[in-house]
Amino acid sequence: DEESAFFDDNPLRARLLWALVKVQLDDSQDKGEAITTCELIFNLDPNNAEIAAPAADGLIPLYEEVEAWDKLASILKHQSDWCETSEGRVALWSKVGRLEDEILERPDSAIDSYQKVLEEKPDQVEALDALQRLYQQRERFDDLIELLVRRVDLCEEREERFDLWLRIASLQHDEIGDAEEAIVAYQS
């Protein structure tokens, strides 16, 4: 039963596997073995931050080095679940958004990631800019208008507010086909 106790003791297994990762990283130029072992550690208990978070921290630079972008995005999402600070979650979701947008070319997933950034920090400029571009690209004009109205509320400069209202009016008229809402926006 000592043997079965070993296999049930995830923290002990994780410590032993970490020793193996260190050997693999020291003795090999091939990062594949270290990645496999780190993934094994992570999968011992992916919902247990005590075990999975150090594995995720180890996997991030390895995934970046071998350009395993999809796996990197997935591990960053897991990290956001454990992250205790709003700033940390903003940084993680921003990185996921950039990966999904610029590298993985998954605009709908990027939109979801940037929306999570704005849940944490409603005035985060990078997320607002990215969403504005992605909504335009995906022809999600109702979402784009809502975002532009949000930017009007955040904007302090009169000229910039005016330009935003003109853009909203133009979208209402040209893309949505709602002349009445376009007039309301022009009057704002």
Side-chain angles (χ1 to χ4, degrees):
D1 276 74
E2 261 184 48
E3 190 175 304
S4 73
F6 168 77
F7 288 107
D8 292 337
D9 187 352
N10 283 340
L12 175 60
R13 290 170 63 197
R15 284 193 304 275
L16 292 171
L17 288 168
W18 271 117
L20 178 59
V21 168
K22 289 177 184 170
V23 169
Q24 290 169 332
L25 288 173
D26 289 342
D27 291 347
S28 173
Q29 295 298 328
D30 179 17
K31 304 297 181 202
E33 292 176 354
I35 289 172
T36 300
T37 306
C38 282
E39 288 173 341
L40 182 62
I41 296 168
F42 180 83
N43 289 320
L44 287 173
D45 193 351
N47 296 318
N48 180 341
E50 186 178 317
I51 292 173
D57 290 341
L59 284 167
I60 289 170
L62 293 170
Y63 284 158
E64 288 172 340
E65 188 173 330
V66 299
E67 298 181 357
W69 306 122
D70 196 44
K71 288 182 175 187
L72 177 59
S74 177
I75 213 81
L76 292 170
K77 290 175 186 178
H78 275 288
Q79 277 195 319
S80 73
D81 293 336
W82 310 313
C83 187
E84 295 180 4
T85 68
S86 180
E87 295 91 14
R89 287 187 296 277
V90 166
L92 289 166
W93 282 111
S94 294
K95 188 169 184 174
V96 172
R98 284 189 302 277
L99 280 170
E100 291 172 333
D101 181 21
E102 299 167 10
I103 296 173
L104 296 170
E105 298 179 354
R106 295 190 304 222
D108 292 328
S109 294
I111 287 170
D112 292 341
S113 297
Y114 285 123
Q115 287 172 336
K116 289 186 184 298
V117 170
L118 294 182
E119 287 172 15
E120 294 289 334
K121 188 174 182 195
D123 62 346
Q124 211 264 2
V125 175
E126 176 192 1
L128 290 167
D129 289 345
L131 283 171
Q132 186 172 331
R133 180 180 46 76
L134 289 165
Y135 287 154
Q136 179 72 42
Q137 179 185 82
R138 304 297 287 169
E139 298 182 357
R140 290 176 55 172
F141 297 116
D142 288 328
D143 292 327
L144 179 56
I145 290 168
E146 185 178 319
L147 181 80
L148 292 172
V149 169
R150 183 181 200 165
R151 290 194 94 144
V152 167
D153 294 339
L154 295 170
C155 183
E156 294 179 14
E157 294 183 30
R158 184 172 185 210
E159 187 175 320
E160 188 178 348
R161 291 171 62 91
F162 178 76
D163 290 343
L164 287 168
W165 279 119
L166 284 177
R167 175 94 168 98
I168 292 165
S170 174
L171 286 167
Q172 288 286 6
H173 182 267
D174 298 341
E175 304 298 343
I176 306 294
D178 189 338
E180 288 180 30
E181 284 297 318
I183 291 169
V184 169
Y186 277 123
Q187 292 174 340
S188 295

